[in-house]
């Protein structure tokens, strides 16, 4: 299992355990009632909502309310910190959730709570289960022990098999407005309101991404450069060049996000094994180091693919803006800074050509998720941008 009971948000909250949950009052009310009244509690839940809507934050708050006795803030903070023994959590940093990890989660679900009122199993990325992995969960979801509660998180209930959906109670989160996200970013980071509004708009209301854009001028510049580069693609040569640049930027970004954590994990493991820094690794423990390196490689692959997906999401938003202009709707453009270029494209292209490009970007996202080579997938997509035809 790649992560157990260690992925919950920071617990420095104004109101425990719900203080970090933002903009989801109806969902909080439902879960508060379920945590306080056994008659309202279902043994398995599915929390759905768009990226950045706070699915995981809400899941851990619910877990804290279930596990701790009412008013026991210390136990609640333990759950929120991911250190309570009655919380088991899985957030895969690989491309998919493995059968091995799912089986370990199921096995853990049959343990009785050791200290708290319930044992809670949180699976953050339930949409990353293949069909065989989903089948591992079915019996556990259908017949869990009396004091075990499952909480799955996914963007949509459509991302899970019908057999899974039929065994859970679905709680759909609302999508916050751009102005709501912008206000939150100002409160959290202190950036000016214009930067917060632009970041919320460019992130399409994804709170985490909006916060990153608002606080990282380089990330904002990379996004702008990428979109403008794609607008300049005119042929195969341009497609190859721009695809290479996108992958290179995503690779460097992924390395920056994972390098420090990788080194810290390696140092901690060697220290735990009693090996001094710089000393040779004894053959008897090389397998443990190799296993860590394999996990880190999977995480790097996931980070790169997530980076490519973010770029493709930005491109979808740009060509969606072109469509809006073609239909005479310019009030809600995501990429207002590019409006002159987008208006020019809207005049030059037919609606059918724009739809072809949007569809191709969607297919490319699916292909990259299915392990297609990112550079080749992007090159093919950009050829469609340049020609209006699917290769």
């Amino acid at each position: 299992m790649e992560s157990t009971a260690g992925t919950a948000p920071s617990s420095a909250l104004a109101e425990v355990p719900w203080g970090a949950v933002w903009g989801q009052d109806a969902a909080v009310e439902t879960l508060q009632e379920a945590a306080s009244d056994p008659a309202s509690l279902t043994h398995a839940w599915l929390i759905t909502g768009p990226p950045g809507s706070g699915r995981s934050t809400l899941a851990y708050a619910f877990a804290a309310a279930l596990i701790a006795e009412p008013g026991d803030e210390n136990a609640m903070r333990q759950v929120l910190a991911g250190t309570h023994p009655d919380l088991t959590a899985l957030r895969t940093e690989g491309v998919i959730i493995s059968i091995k990890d799912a089986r370990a989660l199921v096995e853990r679900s049959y343990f009785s709570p050791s200290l708290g009122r319930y044992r809670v199993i949180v699976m953050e990325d339930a949409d990353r289960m293949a069909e065989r992995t989903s089948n591992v969960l079915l019996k556990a979801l259908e017949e869990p022990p009396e004091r075990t509660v499952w909480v799955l998180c996914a963007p949509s209930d459509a991302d899970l098999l019908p057999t899974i959906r039929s065994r859970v109670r679905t709680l759909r989160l609302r999508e916050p407005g751009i102005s709501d996200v912008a206000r939150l970013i100002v409160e959290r980071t202190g950036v000016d309101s214009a930067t917060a509004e632009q970041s919320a708009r460019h992130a399409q209301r994804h709170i985490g991404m909006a916060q990153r854009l608002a606080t990282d001028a380089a990330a904002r510049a990379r996004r702008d450069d990428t979109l403008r580069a794609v607008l300049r693609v005119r042929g195969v040569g341009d497609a190859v060049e721009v695809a290479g640049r996108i992958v290179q930027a995503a690779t460097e970004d992924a390395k920056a996000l994972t390098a420090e954590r990788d080194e810290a994990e390696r140092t901690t493991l060697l220290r735990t094994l009693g090996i001094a820094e710089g000393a040779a690794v004894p053959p008897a423990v090389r397998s443990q180091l190799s296993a860590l390196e394999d996990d880190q490689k999977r995480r790097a692959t996931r980070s790169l693919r997530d980076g490519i997906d973010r770029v493709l999401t930005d491109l979808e938003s740009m060509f969606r803006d072109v469509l809006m202009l073609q239909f005479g709707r310019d009030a809600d453009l995501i990429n207002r800074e590019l409006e002159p270029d987008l208006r020019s494209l809207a005049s030059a292209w037919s609606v059918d050509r724009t739809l072809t490009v949007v569809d191709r970007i969607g297919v490319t996202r699916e292909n990259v998720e299915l392990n297609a080579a990112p550079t080749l997938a992007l090159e093919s997509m950009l050829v469609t941008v340049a020609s209006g035809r699917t290769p």
Side-chain angles (χ1 to χ4, degrees), residues 45-128:
W45 297 74
L46 171 62
I47 300 176
T48 67
S53 59
R55 300 185 304 256
S56 299
T57 303
L58 186 60
Y60 288 111
F62 184 37
L66 285 170
I67 292 170
E69 294 290 343
D72 186 350
E73 289 197 6
N74 286 335
M76 292 179 188
R77 291 181 187 278
Q78 267 191 291
V79 177
L80 294 173
T83 58
H84 197 286
D86 293 327
L87 170 71
T88 302
L90 173 62
R91 180 184 186 277
T92 182
E93 289 170 327
V95 175
I96 61 169
I97 292 175
S98 69
I99 289 181
K100 174 186 173 184
D101 287 347
R103 284 175 176 157
L105 211 61
V106 168
E107 181 181 344
R108 191 76 178 170
S109 75
Y110 287 103
F111 292 1
S112 297
S114 57
L115 297 175
R117 299 188 301 150
Y118 294 93
R119 175 168 298 282
V120 180
I121 313 294
V122 175
M123 180 181 282
E124 291 192 38
D125 302 294
D127 54 307
R128 292 185 182 175

Side-chain angles (χ1 to χ4, degrees), residues 7 210 225 358:
T7 57
D225 289 346
V358 171

Side-chain angles (χ1 to χ4, degrees), residues 139-332:
K139 184 174 177 59
L141 291 177
E142 190 171 27
E143 301 174 2
E146 184 179 353
R147 295 171 66 196
T148 292
V149 177
W150 285 80
V151 185
L152 312 183
C153 302
S156 166
D157 54 0
D159 295 318
L160 277 71
L161 293 178
T163 48
I164 295 286
R165 299 200 300 266
S166 68
R167 289 164 170 80
V168 300
R169 177 178 174 183
T170 300
L171 186 65
R172 294 178 177 84
L173 303 188
R174 65 177 287 271
E175 188 171 8
I178 288 173
S179 60
D180 296 328
V181 175
R183 281 196 298 272
L184 179 67
I185 297 305
V186 170
E187 291 174 9
R188 285 186 175 180
T189 69
V191 300
D192 63 272
S193 58
T195 299
E197 187 277 336
Q198 182 194 71
S199 299
R201 181 163 34 86
H202 287 178
Q204 299 180 63
R205 296 171 287 207
H206 186 300
I207 296 170
M209 185 53 59
Q211 185 163 322
R212 184 183 179 201
L213 287 173
T215 56
D216 188 341
R220 296 197 299 273
R222 279 196 302 273
R223 182 186 188 279
D224 186 71
D225 289 346
T226 297
L227 297 189
R228 293 183 186 278
V230 170
L231 287 173
R232 292 193 296 269
V233 170
R234 294 292 182 270
V236 174
D238 292 339
V240 171
E241 178 192 353
V242 172
R245 285 168 52 187
I246 290 173
V247 172
Q248 181 64 29
T251 301
E252 291 173 357
D253 206 24
K255 286 180 179 178
L257 290 171
T258 59
E260 184 176 344
R261 180 176 172 183
D262 288 353
E263 183 58 33
E265 288 175 342
R266 179 185 173 88
T267 300
T268 299
L269 176 61
L270 292 177
R271 186 186 304 120
T272 301
L273 296 172
I275 301 170
E277 186 175 352
V281 178
V285 299
R286 284 176 187 166
S287 62
Q288 296 181 54
L289 192 59
S290 178
L292 173 63
E293 291 169 350
D294 288 343
D295 285 345
Q296 291 175 341
K297 287 176 183 176
R298 284 193 292 270
R299 184 167 66 208
T301 299
R302 180 73 256 168
S303 183
L304 172 60
R305 293 186 185 280
D306 285 347
I308 298 293
D309 188 72
R310 283 193 295 270
V311 172
L312 291 169
T313 299
D314 290 336
L315 293 178
E316 276 186 331
S317 78
M318 182 171 71
F319 290 108
R320 170 264 189 199
D321 284 347
V322 173
L323 273 176
M324 293 299 100
L325 292 170
Q326 288 174 323
F327 285 107
R329 298 175 58 185
D330 58 3
D332 298 313

